[in-house]
Amino acid sequence: MADPRRDDPRRRVLVTPEGLTVPFTLASRGSRFGALLIDLICMGLSLLLSAIAIGFTAGSLSEMGQHLRGGTAQDHAMQALFALWIITAFLIRNAWFIAFELGPRGATPGKRLMRIRIAARDGARLTPERVIARNLLRDIELFLPLIMLGSSIGQGDNTGWLATLWFLLFALLPLFNRDRLRAGDLIAGTWVVERPRKPLARAMTEQAAHAPAAAYRFRDTDLAAYGEYELQRLEEVLRLRKDDQMALVATAICDKIGWNTPHGADVGPFLDAYYTQLRERLEGGMRMGRRKADKHA
Amino acid sequence: MSDWIDAVKTRLGRGAPAEEGAIRAALLRSDRFRQEREEDWKRLDSIVLRLEQGRIRRLSDEDLLELPVLYRGLVSSLSIARETSLDQATVQWLEALAQRAWFQLHGARLGFGGWLKGFFTGGWSRAVRGMGLDLLIAFAVLVVGTVLGWLLVAHDPQWYGALVGGAGDVRVPGASREVLRGTLFGTQDQDGLGAFAAYLFGHNAQISILCFALGFAFGVPTLMLLVQNAGMLGAMLWLFHGQGLTFDVVGWLSIHGTTELFAITLAGAAGLHIGRAVAFPGRRGAMAAAAEAGCRGAVVMLGVVLMLVVAGLLEGFARQLIQDTLRRLAVGGGMLGFWLLYFFAYGRQRVVSKRHG
């Protein structure tokens, strides 16, 4: 099949239990990095907001420390708040990604914004254990080396190099395997794919601009010049309907089939007619089991 | 088909030949195919969209019942379209919709609640039993590490600082019996129990997650972490043993320690399980082996975190409130018995019946 995306290194095909081949596009590294950045910012903000909320309830944080070992009712309330803070911080650090990726969209807020999601690599269900496994690894991939780096900068010792090396080892892992898996993906059997969501475009032949196209009639030999690949390029051009592009394409087609090049307002109807008739011819061939991938076939 | 064209013709009136040509051009067979099915596709699209947004309650029963039907229809439409239509936009849209519908049909069937129920009613204990060899190794490493820690400090008390650390702690070699006894039965921690429990939980959980995650490096760092923690335990046992407090310190440790050490053993085993799968994948291939081990390890780890919540509560509250060694031992022993029963006796029946059914 003439697929313009056939050479795309990010394309993968899965076979579902129904025997249907579903194509996936792996998420680009840029969008994954962007998603991570957004999530980290969101995590930082939630940490800050909960600290403010708890601190506000507690009155002032410095006072809190003095109350932690006291025995009055107020001290007990302070202790409860402090315990709440520890649990909240733990959950934000460890459960943020897990909780969001368990949802029906399989994506954190960052991933949602970048239009990507996680999926099981073998086409099976995305089970909670996969989500948990891939995100527990984040601790050694991201948080620990960064904490170590931060503390080494703070103390001015030499462990910074080690932390950087550690961090890079994991951060660069997706660059060195075909499916762009990070360590967590490897362990969990998951990958990150694009989440396509665009409205159904109207059929080409239903478009109003198509109507005057009937004026052109092409002979079989005129239509035999091109195949499916060119048809789909033509579809893209016709959907965009940019004048200069269309004039260029029309000239190319006319050169190929030996017609006089149409000018001005005639270009659109000419291309529409060529598109419709070429598609009719090629689809007719498909039903007979004949396919013509491109003009060289 | 020609009936349909006639119907269109009569609706439009036969008067305009140019227009008729336009309509005929519009009626490519693949476009008719699309027109006939578009309603169903869009219906499926709206159902999937509501599922994606988590608005499952807003779906009528009718929609939910029809979801698999619409999905099968879409699947067949897509395979026909791939073979007969060159309308690229439509095929791509159908592929995307099939992908999204497939995620919903195969992803959300159980839900996290249902999964969690399965986790408690046998999933967790099965996962623990699934890593029997790693459990044995982790346990052996803990025992060896404890003995090693003991022997090291017995040989040279200087090791104590290296193994246990903790500057400013009164529990150091040379401390009197009264001071050491005071740390076991002292009431100084009676206040701030809640915060203390939360702190212990957070600290231990982070260590155990580390234990699991480091298994990725062929399990070596996990082993080192286990030895280090066990060495600390051995050194402390030695210290209290020297002042004749062995029985009391065992009680002090056991009340939460049976749960906490069990959890750490499990975390270590989960890490080793992954490490072994990565190093020796066997016939399945490294990727498949790692993924299988990782998923089993993740189930165990969720349990480990829950056990550490229990251990934190026991350490933060029960240990401070129960000041009697025998009763501490009773609670610790009871917890150990509970975990052993749960992991090694519970949930076996289910597996057997599943295999036969």
Side-chain angles (χ1 to χ4, degrees):
Chain A
M1 184 169 156
D3 190 332
R5 299 165 297 171
R6 65 193 151 179
D7 297 324
D8 188 342
R10 291 200 279 137
R11 234 166 120 74
R12 299 286 182 278
V13 173
L14 265 185
V15 181
T16 69
E18 296 88 1
L20 176 76
T21 53
V22 182
F24 283 91
T25 308
L26 293 181
S28 73
R29 294 180 183 108
S31 53
R32 288 180 73 177
F33 180 71
L36 178 66
L37 217 57
I38 294 171
D39 279 323
L40 288 180
I41 292 169
C42 290
M43 287 166 77
L45 281 179
S46 347
L47 212 57
L48 193 70
L49 282 179
S50 45
I52 290 172
I54 290 173
F56 188 73
T57 321
S60 93
L61 283 169
S62 62
E63 218 172 290
M64 202 167 174
Q66 296 162 14
H67 282 295
L68 282 181
R69 287 185 182 274
T72 66
Q74 194 195 0
D75 299 337
H76 283 300
M78 287 293 185
Q79 289 158 19
L81 283 175
F82 187 64
L84 183 69
W85 162 245
I86 291 174
I87 303 291
T88 309
F90 178 82
L91 286 180
I92 290 176
R93 174 169 170 184
N94 292 293
W96 174 277
F97 288 93
I98 295 175
F100 281 111
E101 289 181 355
L102 280 176
R105 278 171 188 261
T108 57
K111 287 197 178 68
R112 245 195 233 193
L113 279 172
M114 301 308 290
R115 299 190 167 282
I116 57 180
R117 62 164 294 152
I118 58 169
R121 218 155 56 217
D122 54 5
R125 281 203 344 238
L126 182 66
T127 49
E129 55 256 41
R130 286 179 195 265
V131 176
I132 295 171
R134 87 186 288 279
N135 287 311
L136 284 186
L137 263 281
R138 268 185 215 280
D139 226 49
I140 58 162
E141 287 179 358
L142 188 66
F143 298 135
L144 275 176
L146 286 185
I147 290 170
M148 195 170 150
L149 191 64
S151 79
S152 90
I153 290 170
Q155 291 169 3
D157 55 16
N158 291 327
T159 51
W161 288 106
L162 189 68
T164 313
L165 189 73
W166 178 357
F167 176 71
L168 286 180
L169 199 68
F170 283 105
L172 298 182
L173 189 64
L175 297 179
F176 293 108
N177 65 77
R178 213 175 65 93
D179 289 334
R180 307 176 171 204
L181 311 174
R182 62 174 184 83
D185 288 319
L186 271 173
I187 290 302
T190 54
W191 57 12
V192 185
V193 295
E194 278 182 6
R195 188 168 55 84
R197 169 112 187 93
K198 52 182 177 187
L200 177 57
R202 298 192 57 164
M204 285 302 298
T205 49
E206 280 174 9
Q207 291 181 356
H210 229 84
Y216 291 92
R217 274 277 141 216
F218 296 94
R219 287 167 298 151
D220 214 35
T221 47
D222 299 335
L223 297 171
Y226 291 111
E228 291 173 18
Y229 178 78
E230 290 78 19
L231 180 79
Q232 284 167 358
R233 295 287 80 68
L234 182 56
E235 179 182 341
E236 282 166 14
V237 170
L238 284 175
R239 283 193 191 279
L240 287 174
R241 287 205 112 71
K242 280 192 186 140
D243 286 340
D244 50 340
Q245 228 181 15
M246 292 203 346
L248 217 66
V249 173
T251 314
I253 293 175
C254 288
D255 284 353
K256 178 108 179 163
I257 64 178
W259 278 44
N260 293 324
T261 311
H263 291 289
D266 286 339
V267 173
F270 168 79
L271 287 180
D272 285 333
Y274 195 81
Y275 173 82
T276 311
Q277 290 171 36
L278 177 61
R279 197 171 124 193
E280 198 169 18
R281 182 193 141 89
L282 289 173
E283 285 179 351
M286 280 164 86
R287 281 191 290 276
M288 296 295 143
R290 288 192 308 270
R291 301 196 70 152
K292 183 174 163 67
D294 54 38
K295 60 187 174 185
H296 307 296
Chain B
M1 292 298 179
S2 64
D3 293 353
W4 201 83
I5 297 175
D6 286 342
V8 173
K9 276 182 187 167
T10 43
R11 217 184 300 158
L12 288 169
R14 285 174 167 276
E19 221 173 295
E20 190 190 320
I23 298 298
R24 191 181 289 283
L27 293 177
L28 279 178
R29 215 194 270 221
S30 50
D31 285 338
R32 282 204 301 272
F33 169 83
R34 172 178 155 163
Q35 280 172 357
E36 284 160 19
R37 287 162 183 77
E38 213 171 310
E39 286 287 298
D40 282 348
W41 300 345
K42 288 197 164 151
R43 176 123 187 261
L44 180 63
D45 182 40
S46 83
I47 294 177
V48 168
L49 185 65
R50 275 175 285 168
L51 281 173
E52 281 173 342
Q53 291 166 342
R55 290 186 292 167
I56 196 159
R57 282 196 198 88
R58 292 220 201 138
L59 287 178
S60 64
D61 292 346
E62 197 188 337
D63 280 343
L64 275 180
L65 280 176
E66 244 183 278
L67 176 62
V69 181
L70 289 171
Y71 175 64
R72 276 198 293 277
L74 182 87
V75 167
S76 89
S77 293
L78 176 54
S79 49
I80 295 171
R82 276 175 178 168
E83 292 311 313
T84 62
S85 172
L86 289 171
D87 183 355
Q88 196 189 2
T90 305
V91 173
Q92 278 176 14
W93 184 81
L94 284 175
E95 282 178 347
L97 180 57
Q99 208 186 86
R100 290 165 54 214
W102 177 77
F103 274 133
Q104 292 308 322
L105 272 169
H106 294 273
R109 190 175 292 164
L110 194 59
F112 186 61
W115 183 84
L116 211 58
K117 195 178 161 222
F119 169 84
F120 283 116
T121 58
W124 181 14
S125 48
R126 268 197 301 281
V128 168
R129 286 197 299 271
M131 43 181 70
L133 178 61
D134 309 280
L135 260 177
L136 276 179
I137 298 174
F139 184 66
V141 168
L142 273 182
V143 171
V144 170
T146 311
V147 173
L148 209 65
W150 179 302
L151 291 179
L152 275 176
V153 283
H155 178 69
D156 180 2
Q158 293 270 301
W159 275 98
Y160 190 86
L163 285 173
V164 180
D169 199 336
V170 294
R171 294 175 291 184
V172 288
S176 70
R177 182 184 158 91
E178 278 58 49
V179 170
L180 288 179
R181 204 172 183 293
T183 63
L184 299 184
F185 296 105
T187 52
Q188 79 275 25
D189 276 340
Q190 279 230 359
D191 303 313
L193 294 187
F196 186 48
Y199 165 77
L200 289 170
F201 157 72
H203 176 259
N204 292 337
Q206 215 66 60
I207 297 265
S208 68
I209 289 173
L210 190 62
C211 230
F212 166 76
L214 285 175
F216 187 73
F218 307 113
V220 178
T222 304
L223 287 174
M224 286 161 57
L225 212 59
L226 284 177
V227 169
Q228 190 221 331
N229 275 288
M232 190 168 132
L233 181 69
M236 283 188 69
L237 285 175
W238 169 82
L239 180 69
F240 284 88
H241 176 74
Q243 296 291 353
L245 290 167
T246 319
F247 185 59
D248 289 327
V249 77
V250 167
W252 182 81
L253 280 169
S254 79
I255 189 164
H256 72 282
T258 49
T259 303
E260 187 179 297
L261 288 172
F262 209 143
I264 287 174
T265 314
L266 288 181
L272 291 175
H273 195 60
I274 291 179
R276 277 204 311 133
V278 174
F280 312 108
R283 255 182 263 163
R284 291 163 298 175
M287 300 283 253
E292 195 194 317
C295 289
R296 184 175 290 140
V299 174
V300 171
M301 283 309 293
L302 179 67
V304 165
V305 172
L306 294 176
M307 283 174 86
L308 289 172
V309 173
V310 175
L313 291 174
L314 284 172
E315 189 171 4
F317 287 96
R319 189 177 72 191
Q320 315 301 330
L321 300 176
I322 302 176
Q323 294 284 328
D324 174 66
T325 297
L326 275 177
R327 273 203 263 160
R328 281 178 175 175
L329 277 171
V331 174
M335 290 309 295
L336 181 65
F338 168 75
W339 294 122
L340 285 173
L341 273 177
Y342 180 73
F343 289 134
F344 298 107
Y346 180 66
R348 282 190 183 277
Q349 208 60 45
R350 215 170 274 261
V351 181
V352 172
S353 63
K354 230 182 213 171
R355 275 188 197 146
H356 287 284

